[in-house]
Amino acid sequence: MFTSDTCKLSAKAARGDRNRQPVPASRRILDSLTKLAHFQMTLSYGGVTVPLSSLLANITSRAARVGVIGLGYVGLPLAITAARAGFTVTGFDTDPGKITAIDARKSYIEAVPDAVLADQVAADRFTATADFAALALCDVILICVPTPLTKHREPDLSFITRTCDDIAKTLRAGQVIVLESTTYPGTTDGPVKRILESTGLVSGKDFYLGFSPEREDPGNRAFDTSTIPKVVAGDGADAGRLVEAFYAAVVKTVVPVSSTATAEAVKLTENVFRAVNIALVNELKVIYEAMGVDIWEVIEAAKTKPFGYMPFYPGPGLGGHCIPIDPFYLTWKAREYDIPTRFIELAGEINAAMPRHVVSRLAEALDQRLGLALSRSKVLVIGLAYKKNVPDIRESPSLKLIELIEERGGQASYHDPFVAEIPKTRAYGALMGRKSVSLDEATVRSFDAVLIATDHDGLDYAGLAQWSPLIVDTRNVFARNNILADHVVKA
C-alpha cells in the first residue's frame, strides 16, 4: 500500500485506442499490465521513486486497501465482493447501527448472508467504522451514497458533496476515487472533481478519479455483484486504466467507456428505458380497463412474439432507488441546454399517478360491490416492499397508497413478511413505527377489503380469496395462481 502523506507524480502517458467491448476480467488485467510496463511514469513517495506500474500492480495483486463509503444496498454487497476477491476493505457509514451490526457479524442486507459477512470479518478482510479519518489509509475509495430528489424533483447531491468533503480532508496522492452513486452526466468531472482538487492535488496527476454506476437488483438471485458486468470510466486515460484494473479484480466482466460522463449517462439510460416502458403499460392498463380488456392477458399474448417486443408489467406505482428518481436527474440536466424532455417527464407523470388510480379503483369497488364508502372502510394492504421477496421499501408505492387511503378517511393496515415495522422515511414520517399485522382468517375478516400492492411469494392467496369480501389486485397474482373469483378486481 502507498500511504505516505507526501506524494508527487510526474508522468507522460502514451495514448492509444482501447477495445471497448466487454471482455473477461483476467485478460483486461494482463492487457493493462502490459500497457503500463511501457509507460515512462514515476511516483515519488517520501523521496522514494516508484514506477506508476507499481500502483497498478498494487491493485491487481490485491495489496491495495479499499474503502467503501455508504454501507447500504449497494455499498455493503460491493465491500463484501471486494473482500472476497482478496482485498482488505474498510466500510464507512454515518449510521452507528450498521457499524454495530457488522461488528456483531449480522447482515442487514439480504444479498449478503450472515455467514458470508462473518467469514470476511473473521478473516480481517472487512471492517466497518464511522471514523472517516481512516480514509487516509485507503488506496481505492468507492462512493456509494444516496442521490435522492428534492421536493421539487431536482437532484440532491448533498450526500455526494459531504462525502467528497470528508475525502478531501485526508486526500493524498496515489489514491483512486470512484463514484458509484447514480447522477447526471458531468457530476464526476464537475462538483466531485472541484471539491477534491480544492486540496491543491490534481486529478490525473496526483490522484485518480472515476465513475462506475451501480447495478444492484435486490431479490434477483440470477445475478450478484460479482457477475453483473461493470461499466467503468476514468477522468483521463491513466485513471481509466486504474479504475478498470480494480473492477477487473472484483467482477467477472468490465465494460470500459470513453469518459465518466458517458458512464453516468449509461446508468440513466438504463433506468429511463425502464421508466418509460413501465409508464406505457400503466397507461395501456387504464385505457384497456375502460374498454373491458385485461392488460395482463394482452401482455402474455404479446410476449409470445419472438422479436420486436419486450414485456413490461403495470403496477400500483414505481418504487426502488432508481426508476422513480434517476430519470429526473437527466431532465434537470437537460434544462441547462434548453432541451425539453417531454417524453421522460410524461412517463414520470403517468407512473406517479398510479397510486391515485389504484385508490380510486378501490373506492369504486367498495361502493359498487359492498355499498361502502372508502371513508368508512378498513383496508389491508398486502406488501410494503416495493418489489416481491425483499425487505426494501425505498420509494415504495405502498406507503403512498396507505397515505391516500387515510387522506380519504379510510383506515389502512399492512401485512409484509419482510417488513415487520415501518422505519423512518424522508417522505412518510407519520407512518413510522406501524407494525405488520398477522395474515390469518380472523385478521383478514376484520377488514372490508384487501389491496394487493406487492405479490410476495409464499403468502396464502387462496385463503385471502376465501376470507376477504373484496380484493383489489394490482399485480395479477390471483390469476397467475389460477385463483378465479368474482370478488377479485384488477387495478
Side-chain angles (χ1 to χ4, degrees):
M1 279 188 301
F2 303 118
T3 58
S4 172
D5 288 330
T6 58
C7 172
K8 183 180 179 182
L9 171 70
S10 62
K12 183 176 182 181
R15 290 179 172 82
D17 291 337
R18 292 188 296 148
N19 179 7
R20 299 294 176 189
Q21 300 300 314
V23 297
S26 58
R27 200 178 101 196
R28 301 274 345 154
I29 295 171
L30 291 175
D31 287 349
S32 295
L33 283 169
T34 300
K35 290 174 183 174
L36 234 66
H38 297 292
F39 294 158
Q40 303 301 314
M41 299 180 179
T42 60
L43 284 171
S44 175
Y45 284 85
V48 179
T49 299
V50 182
L52 186 59
S53 56
S54 296
L55 181 55
L56 180 63
N58 194 39
I59 290 173
T60 55
S61 68
R62 280 67 164 178
R65 179 179 288 273
V66 177
V68 178
I69 303 176
L71 298 176
Y73 283 90
V74 174
L76 184 61
L78 179 60
I80 294 300
T81 301
R84 297 183 79 180
F87 288 98
T88 299
V89 181
T90 302
F92 297 84
D93 205 287
T94 57
D95 182 355
K98 292 177 181 176
I99 307 303
T100 300
I102 291 168
D103 287 344
R105 306 182 185 186
K106 296 292 184 182
S107 176
Y108 45 87
I109 301 292
E110 185 187 28
V112 180
D114 286 348
V116 173
L117 174 65
D119 285 346
Q120 300 311 309
V121 173
D124 292 327
R125 284 192 295 269
F126 179 57
T127 57
T129 182
D131 182 7
F132 283 69
L135 287 168
L137 301 176
C138 298
D139 303 298
V140 178
I141 299 173
L142 312 176
I143 303 172
C144 305
V145 298
T147 46
L149 296 171
T150 67
K151 292 181 179 179
H152 303 291
R153 289 195 170 183
E154 294 181 344
D156 178 0
L157 296 187
S158 60
F159 292 90
I160 289 179
T161 56
R162 287 200 299 267
T163 297
C164 289
D165 287 337
D166 287 331
I167 295 172
K169 293 174 184 176
T170 59
L171 185 67
R172 57 174 172 77
Q175 286 182 312
V176 178
I177 317 295
V178 184
L179 178 63
E180 288 226 353
S181 305
T182 304
T183 185
Y184 58 82
T187 302
T188 303
D189 63 5
V192 171
K193 185 175 177 177
R194 283 196 298 271
I195 293 171
L196 297 180
E197 287 193 332
S198 70
T199 61
L201 299 177
V202 178
S203 174
K205 177 183 177 184
D206 301 313
F207 66 92
Y208 300 92
L209 186 59
F211 183 81
S212 180
E214 59 87 6
R215 279 176 163 173
E216 290 295 321
D217 186 17
N220 189 334
R221 302 185 187 281
F223 298 96
D224 60 31
T225 303
S226 68
T227 58
I228 300 171
K230 207 79 169 72
V231 173
V232 300
D235 180 32
D238 303 335
R241 293 185 186 98
L242 291 168
V243 172
E244 185 179 337
F246 168 72
Y247 284 102
V250 174
V251 303
K252 290 185 177 180
T253 305
V254 291
V255 184
V257 296
S258 60
S259 68
T260 56
T262 300
E264 291 160 339
V266 168
K267 175 63 175 179
L268 292 184
T269 299
E270 293 169 359
N271 288 331
V272 167
F273 172 78
R274 294 171 66 193
V276 167
N277 280 280
I278 292 171
L280 174 61
V281 294
N282 275 331
E283 186 166 61
L284 289 174
K285 174 182 71 173
V286 176
I287 295 169
Y288 291 151
E289 194 175 86
M291 297 177 179
V293 175
D294 186 343
I295 180 65
W296 298 93
E297 184 180 1
V298 171
I299 293 171
E300 288 303 302
K303 75 179 187 181
T304 62
K305 183 179 180 181
F307 51 86
Y309 181 81
M310 179 184 294
F312 286 82
Y313 298 95
L318 289 183
H321 64 299
C322 291
I323 306 178
I325 294 173
D326 297 352
F328 294 101
Y329 272 70
L330 184 57
T331 60
W332 178 86
K333 187 64 175 178
R335 290 199 291 271
E336 181 181 325
Y337 298 89
D338 294 324
I339 297 174
T341 52
R342 292 187 294 270
F343 203 65
I344 299 172
E345 291 184 26
L346 176 60
E349 291 172 9
I350 292 171
N351 289 326
M354 282 303 104
R356 289 191 181 277
H357 172 76
V358 168
V359 172
S360 293
R361 287 281 288 165
L362 169 66
E364 180 184 83
L366 281 165
D367 178 37
Q368 293 181 352
R369 293 170 179 264
L370 302 182
L372 289 174
L374 178 56
S375 61
R376 294 186 289 109
S377 301
K378 293 178 61 180
V379 180
L380 176 60
V381 177
I382 300 296
L384 195 72
Y386 81 90
K387 64 185 295 189
K388 68 179 183 178
N389 304 332
V390 300
D392 193 346
I393 69 164
R394 289 173 294 172
E395 309 299 327
S396 173
S398 296
L399 297 167
K400 185 65 175 178
L401 291 170
I402 292 172
E403 182 181 74
L404 290 172
I405 290 168
E406 296 189 341
E407 279 182 359
R408 296 182 61 165
Q411 298 179 45
S413 299
Y414 82 94
H415 170 81
D416 194 309
F418 297 90
V419 186
E421 182 176 332
I422 301 180
K424 181 180 180 180
T425 60
R426 284 189 290 270
Y428 301 96
L431 300 182
M432 184 177 69
R434 293 200 188 185
K435 294 178 171 56
S436 174
V437 302
S438 60
L439 195 68
D440 54 55
E441 182 175 359
T443 301
V444 174
R445 288 191 183 277
S446 70
F447 290 89
D448 300 301
V450 167
L451 172 58
I452 306 295
T454 313
D455 53 333
H456 291 304
D457 293 336
L459 298 185
D460 188 356
Y461 293 107
L464 281 172
Q466 294 177 7
W467 306 329
S468 176
L470 175 63
I471 296 172
V472 176
D473 185 1
T474 71
R475 300 290 187 174
N476 201 41
V477 66
F478 286 87
R480 284 191 282 112
N481 284 282
N482 294 314
I483 303 171
L484 305 178
D486 291 338
H487 64 291
V488 175
V489 177
K490 296 182 182 181

